Amino acid sequence: MKRVWFAWKRRRRWQQVAVIVFALALVCTAAVYQWILVDLPDIAALEAGMALPSTIIYDRQGRVLYQIADPETGVNQVVSLDDLPDYLIQATIATEDANFYQHPGVDVEGVVRALWINVKGGEVVAGGSTITQQVARNLLFDPAQRAERTLQRKLRESVLALRLNQHYSRDKILEIYLNQTYYGNMAYGVAAASRAYFGKSAADLTLAECAMLAGLPQAPGQYDPLTNPETAKDRQRVVLDLMVKHGYLSATQANQAYDEALQYASVPFPIEAPHFIAAVWKQLERNYPEALYEGGVEVITTLDLDWQNAAQDAARRHLDWLNNPPAGEPEHNAHNAALVAMDPYTGQILAMLGSPDYFDEEIDGAVNAALAPRQPGSALKPFTYAAALDPARAEAWTPATMIMDIGTPFVTRRLESYTPSNFGLVEHGPVLIREALASSYNIPAVVALDHIGLDALVRLTTRLGISTLTDTSRFDLSLTLGGGEVRLLELTAAYGALANGGYRIDPAYILEVRDRDGNLLYEWQPPDHSQPVIDPRVAFLITDILSDNQARIPSFGPASALNIGRPAAAKTGTTTDFRDNWTVGYTPNLVTGVWVGNADNMPMVEVSGISGAGPIWHEFMRRVLRGQPELEFDVPAGLVRAEVCATSGLLPTENCPKTQWEWFIDGTVPTGYDTFYQRFTLDSRTGLLADDATPPEYREDRVYLVLPPEARDWALRRGIPQPPIGAEIVGGRDVLARLLSPDPYTVFRLTPILPEDQQRVRLTIAVPTHTERVIYWLDDELLISVNETPFDYWWTLYPGDHELYAEVTLDDGSTITTDSVEFQVAAWVPPEERPISGPAE
């Protein structure tokens, strides 16, 4: 009896447990049902989600630039799966959902991964969405739900995907995906994307084009081939590799497709300023996705349509002239141009021309050259000098600082010899910064960058908004001559800081955004100009130099395209291979940058910044400013003017033949007097220095231009008379002893064409005036002792790595040892014995 009672007790306990478990299961089921299934969208609403919202974009005067209409207007064209290339379907499946035709609408592995990440971090941050899930999310959820990154949304999306998979065939779901997905640049669906990017029907897409399009949906802005071609090309590689992985292609086919040069274009559709509109659209997508896709927005932009048309007219007119020049001149092969005009105080973009014709596929017109990184040539020089003029520097320069514009060797970060040269290989000797910058001499600009350091220039340009120069490891001293890449938009904005007194401006596209009910979503606000990036006095000095027509006459002549009939500062830029040329300039109320080149990077034929971009800049500036008052640049407080000797930049003496007035930041006016022009008394009978025995009637005073030792050869080539032997040079005793040649880390190569004794290099040295002897030491062995000025020696080359230094003996018996110079002499090797450095072509 007792045993029966215990059995009954145990059975009752298990029954109670079962009841509790069942009750908990019911509660959990109800909770899960409430959490996931209640208010789940009806898949019958799928087609309603396919309608595109209406968005209208206006210029600043209220004129329509572009209207994004419903599918019936042709912006979104539905195309049958049967009419699409197999490669496009395969690329899409390989990239987005490799098991699309096998799973029931949900990739279980992806869901498990999402669950695990949710458990760890409380947020779904990984993928796992199938094509079916993406269709459910994009067409059945509202924008707020789509933006959620939660486990609940992921599970609801999965339930909808399972239902869609039951009601629609796989082909139909894939067709919906391909026709409704956003591919960037206002293109919904592959038909619109094919037209927008390649100017052709989707049925005519090649394998390479299909792979490019298939990679866009995950991040259309990031992978946009029109503005980020390198990133897009990397993405295309990923897609092609996935197609190989899943058996759609061979590796050879993938490589051939990757190597195919894509021709970007777009067919005409009703739109004004298409490159500008594309940039506005990206900003709207980033900042207002909900309003944009719920019912559209109305957008007032910063653009002035009249100015935009003026930019396009000027670009087309001048490019036509360059490619159809007068008889006797060569065709210049210049087919693309870009222009950006901005308000230098607000950053508002008043005109943005990305190419002369967006719809011309022969010139890749759809590529927005205003946003594409290109080499700027000399257009970065003003910022190099701005850093050098900064009064916060310990050794700040002034516009009257003298720089020797002669062949000067520098040592790069890679320990290589680098000797820059000017355009036309002309050297100008001693020049002041005013002329060096205004006439765009290369050698002084490199001297200036070497003085301030590469990091100082990069810090300044980065603070001004130039985003492409931040990795200093890629650059060297050639950066100031255009050895990096910049975007026209960012460079123009940086010049805006020179126009407005030193304040950074960020480009602004939009003045106002309202939703479909008229509610204000955004209104442009003036930028904060409380802290300048460039000292306002330095900004004025650079502006004054760039607007000084007299100072740029040596390079550009008195009537160049940089003169627009009113106060304006301007700078050109030209790459050495004529692939890019620029003109960027400004008045007190407008800054405009122009680029001319070819989108495919083909070189032009002898087109410089002054002949290519300059005339477009000139015509645009004159046209849009016509009728406006001629404004002068404001002179900030803290500047003074002083007279200096035009050659040395020091205070003039009676010997200085030419002086000029210069602006200085207060406290930087030079205190020393000119020593370049020195007076000596000669014996007219001998031409030598007069002495006590020279009769008065034969004593003759003569002024000589006395230059530093490194300019001696330049002066001799120019026929500049040298002071007589034995003349006591003012400042000559202060010259630092240093080797002038050979250049450090130079590699000399022997040749069988010349006799060995004729293959020589001249050893030259700068020494104080009271030097009596110079001993050259090569590889720690005595080479030669030279006892006569100018203490040069011609050394016959022999192979090897060499180290040279000199010992200078002065008239008081003291000695000075110079720093050593390393260089190399390479023996001649017959071509058949040279190592192969790469594949033959």
Side-chain angles (χ1 to χ4, degrees), residues 329-382:
E329 291 190 22
E331 294 185 12
H332 294 288
N333 191 40
H335 301 289
N336 288 83
L339 181 149
V340 172
M342 304 172 67
D343 184 315
Y345 287 89
T346 66
Q348 294 179 14
I349 300 172
L350 302 169
M352 175 190 278
L353 184 74
S355 74
D357 187 349
Y358 183 89
F359 304 107
D360 187 347
E361 60 185 73
E362 291 186 0
I363 63 169
D364 293 325
V367 175
N368 188 351
L371 301 180
R374 306 286 302 209
Q375 288 197 344
S378 297
L380 285 182
K381 288 177 183 174

Side-chain angles (χ1 to χ4, degrees), residues 754-760 796:
L754 296 174
E756 291 185 2
D757 60 356
Q758 292 185 22
Q759 299 184 59
R760 302 183 299 168
T796 302

Side-chain angles (χ1 to χ4, degrees), residues 450-470:
D450 187 57
H451 172 71
I452 65 171
L454 185 65
D455 290 343
L457 174 59
V458 171
R459 281 196 303 270
L460 178 58
T461 56
T462 301
R463 292 180 65 200
L464 290 173
I466 295 177
S467 63
T468 52
L469 304 179
T470 54

Side-chain angles (χ1 to χ4, degrees), residues 34-54:
Q34 177 72 27
W35 191 48
I36 298 177
L37 300 179
V38 172
D39 296 328
L40 198 64
D42 188 345
I43 62 172
L46 187 69
E47 293 186 5
M50 295 182 188
L52 292 179
S54 177

Side-chain angles (χ1 to χ4, degrees), residues 375-382 384-385 410 418-423 436 440-449 454 457 476-485 571-577 580 582:
Q375 288 197 344
S378 297
L380 285 182
K381 288 177 183 174
T384 303
Y385 287 108
F410 298 90
Y418 170 56
T419 304
S421 59
N422 291 324
F423 188 80
S440 197
Y441 300 151
N442 289 343
I443 297 171
V446 178
V447 173
L449 181 55
L454 185 65
L457 174 59
D476 222 306
L477 292 174
S478 62
L479 180 61
T480 189
L481 306 182
E485 293 183 331
K571 182 72 187 71
T572 62
T574 307
T575 56
T576 54
D577 52 9
D580 303 274
W582 311 65

Side-chain angles (χ1 to χ4, degrees), residues 4 35 67 118 216 337 403 417 582 781 831:
V4 171
W35 191 48
Q67 181 171 0
N118 185 73
L216 294 178
I403 300 177
S417 181
W582 311 65
E781 294 185 4

Side-chain angles (χ1 to χ4, degrees), residues 1 66 122 152 160 217-218 303 378 459 610 623 697 817:
M1 185 70 180
Y66 184 67
Q152 181 188 26
L160 288 173
Q218 286 192 12
L303 191 91
S378 297
R459 281 196 303 270
I610 197 67
R623 180 169 170 180
E697 63 270 23
T817 301

Side-chain angles (χ1 to χ4, degrees), residues 712 737-742 761-767 771 773-795 803-809 816-821 823:
R712 182 185 64 205
R738 62 192 186 281
L739 291 169
L740 300 178
S741 68
V761 62
R762 186 169 63 137
L763 312 182
T764 62
I765 188 171
V767 294
T771 297
R773 182 179 61 194
V774 171
I775 299 176
Y776 290 101
W777 294 83
L778 185 68
D779 303 331
D780 288 327
E781 294 185 4
L782 176 65
L783 177 64
I784 189 72
S785 177
V786 183
N787 301 317
E788 295 182 357
T789 185
F791 303 106
D792 296 348
Y793 175 68
W794 285 93
W795 173 69
E803 183 176 0
L804 176 74
Y805 67 91
E807 186 179 277
V808 178
T809 302
I816 304 171
T817 301
T818 69
D819 292 335
S820 62
V821 170
F823 64 97

